[in-house]
Amino acid sequence: MVKWYPTEDVQKVRVKRANKPTRLRGGVSPGQVLILLAGKHQGKRVIFLKQLEGGLLLVTGPYKFNGVPLKRVPQAYTVPTSTKVNVSGSDFSKINDAYFAKEKENAKKTEEAFFAPKKEKKPFSDAKKAMQKSVDAGIAGKITDPTVKKYLKTKFRLRNGMFPHTLKF
Amino acid sequence: MAQTRFVEIGRVAYVNFGPESGKLCVIVDVVDAKRALVDGPVTGVVRQQMPFSRISLTEFVLPIKRNQTSANVAKSFDEHEIVKKWGNSHAGKHVASNVRRASLTDFERFKLMAAQKKKSLLIKRELKKIKPKH
C-alpha cells in the first residue's frame, strides 16, 4: 500500500510543552546547607531558600557569615549536605527572577560616548541591602549553636585521602 | 618477629575485601594453598570458599572440628562471645572507627576537624612549656 502524500507540503504542528523547573535533587528543602562548587564563592557553605521559576536555586550566605549575598545558583554547581537550618522566620517570598534583572541603561552609542571616560559603577541599591538584611535576620537570629555558625563561615576543602565519590555529605 | 597467628581450623578471620567485607567468619577447612572454606552463620557469611588474600586472621580461635556443621559453628561462636570480644579488641575498635569515619556527614567532619585543631593547640602549648628556649 503506497503512502498517501498531500499535494501541498503541510507543516507538522508541534505542540510546545511548558518547561518544568529542574527537579530538586538530593531531597533539598528550604534551610538545607549547600556547598557551592564554582564561581567566586567556591567551597562556601550557603543556605538554600527556594527554587525560582527559572529553575535556579535561591541561596544566601547569610551575608554576615560568609559574604554570600542573595544569589541565584544552578543546581549542578551545588552539593547538598544533610545539615538543615531553620528558615521559617525569614520572608523571601517576594524574591523572584525579576529581582535579579539588570537595570537597563539608555546609552546612545555615539562616537563621543565611546571615547568618553567610563562612568562609575552604580552602587548596590539600598533596597537590595535592606532585603538582604531582613532575609538574613530571620535565619542568622535563629542559629544559636556557635558550631553551626563556624560551619557556615568555613569553606569546604578536600584534603589528602578525601575522595568525593566516597564522602557522605 | 615470627608468625603468631596461624591459619587453623577454628581461626576467626575478618573479611577485608569483596562482597562479605567487614564481617567475621571462621575457617572451617582448608581447600588448597590459597583458599579456605569459611563459615559465619552468626555474622551472615554463607559457607563458602574464600581466598586467604581476602581475610585477616584475628587473635581468636574456636575449638571446632574440621568441616563442623554451621549450626555447631554458630553455637561455638556464641559460647565464646566472639562478636563482643572482637568489638573490645584493638583491631575490632580500629575497624569500627574506620566505618564511623566513612559515614561522617559534612557537618560531622567539620566538628571533627575543629576538635582536632583544639586538641593540637593544647598539645602545642604544653610542648612549648617543656621545650628549652634557644
Side-chain angles (χ1 to χ4, degrees):
Chain A
M1 194 50 215
V2 181
K3 188 180 176 194
W4 176 78
Y5 288 94
T7 47
E8 303 271 339
D9 272 330
V10 179
Q11 282 276 43
K12 211 175 185 181
V13 177
R14 287 202 173 154
V15 179
K16 191 173 184 190
R17 275 185 278 173
N19 277 332
K20 282 192 276 187
T22 21
R23 184 170 57 94
L24 282 181
R25 302 179 69 228
V28 171
S29 54
Q32 197 116 2
V33 175
L34 308 174
I35 300 172
L36 298 182
L37 295 176
K40 196 166 85 171
H41 303 287
Q42 274 187 44
K44 290 196 178 159
R45 293 174 172 118
V46 296
I47 297 171
F48 167 72
L49 298 176
K50 67 173 180 180
Q51 186 177 32
L52 300 169
E53 320 90 61
L56 299 175
L57 310 183
L58 176 68
V59 298
T60 183
Y63 187 72
K64 249 206 269 185
F65 289 176
N66 49 29
V68 179
L70 285 163
K71 192 176 161 59
R72 295 186 294 181
V73 166
Q75 203 183 179
Y77 294 108
T78 66
V79 169
T81 64
S82 51
T83 321
K84 260 184 96 167
V85 159
N86 191 353
V87 292
S88 59
S90 178
D91 179 29
F92 40 83
S93 51
K94 294 212 180 96
I95 306 175
N96 50 19
D97 277 325
Y99 178 87
F100 294 99
K102 276 200 189 145
E103 288 168 28
K104 281 202 172 171
E105 283 179 41
N106 284 328
K108 279 194 180 173
K109 287 194 178 162
T110 61
E111 234 182 82
E112 303 142 16
F114 188 77
F115 289 110
K118 281 204 172 149
K119 285 187 208 154
E120 285 165 17
K121 218 173 142 183
K122 281 205 176 139
F124 196 63
S125 88
D126 286 326
K128 287 200 173 172
K129 279 190 191 167
M131 176 63 95
Q132 179 77 52
K133 258 194 166 171
S134 74
V135 169
D136 283 354
I139 302 169
K142 291 214 169 161
I143 299 173
T144 48
D145 190 357
T147 326
V148 177
K149 274 194 194 153
K150 264 198 171 166
Y151 176 61
L152 290 171
K153 286 189 180 191
T154 318
K155 275 197 200 179
F156 171 77
R157 192 179 141 188
L158 283 176
R159 315 190 104 230
N160 273 346
M162 286 173 86
F163 307 109
H165 74 288
T166 61
L167 289 181
K168 219 180 88 170
F169 287 97
Chain B
M1 222 174 102
Q3 275 279 35
T4 49
R5 291 181 195 174
F6 297 99
V7 168
E8 53 194 297
I9 310 301
R11 171 69 65 184
V12 177
Y14 170 79
V15 184
N16 53 37
F17 185 84
E20 311 284 3
S21 64
K23 299 180 188 164
L24 288 178
C25 60
V26 183
I27 294 175
V28 155
D29 197 359
V30 173
V31 176
D32 60 17
K34 289 198 173 179
R35 292 174 293 170
L37 180 70
V38 301
D39 196 3
V42 177
T43 52
V45 179
V46 168
R47 198 178 192 108
Q48 62 190 279
Q49 63 177 351
M50 181 86 72
F52 288 120
S53 56
R54 286 194 185 183
I55 59 176
S56 307
L57 306 179
T58 68
E59 59 197 277
F60 309 111
V61 185
L62 296 176
I64 59 170
K65 292 190 194 147
R66 187 172 72 93
N67 285 330
Q68 185 75 287
T69 54
S70 277
N72 285 338
V73 170
K75 214 174 167 189
S76 185
F77 208 89
D78 285 331
E79 251 173 43
H80 290 84
E81 296 181 323
I82 296 295
V83 176
K84 195 167 125 195
K85 282 185 187 165
W86 169 249
N88 291 331
S89 72
H90 182 81
K93 283 188 185 151
H94 188 71
V95 159
S97 94
N98 277 345
V99 167
R100 178 75 185 106
R101 263 181 204 269
S103 71
L104 290 177
T105 65
D106 188 48
F107 185 42
E108 288 174 332
R109 247 176 275 127
F110 169 78
K111 283 195 272 189
L112 177 68
M113 185 260 290
Q116 203 97 305
K117 276 176 102 171
K118 218 174 182 181
K119 175 183 163 190
S120 134
L121 187 69
L122 291 173
I123 292 172
K124 279 191 188 137
R125 279 205 192 124
E126 290 301 310
L127 189 66
K128 211 172 179 183
K129 287 183 197 166
I130 304 168
K131 239 183 172 180
K133 295 187 183 132
H134 293 291

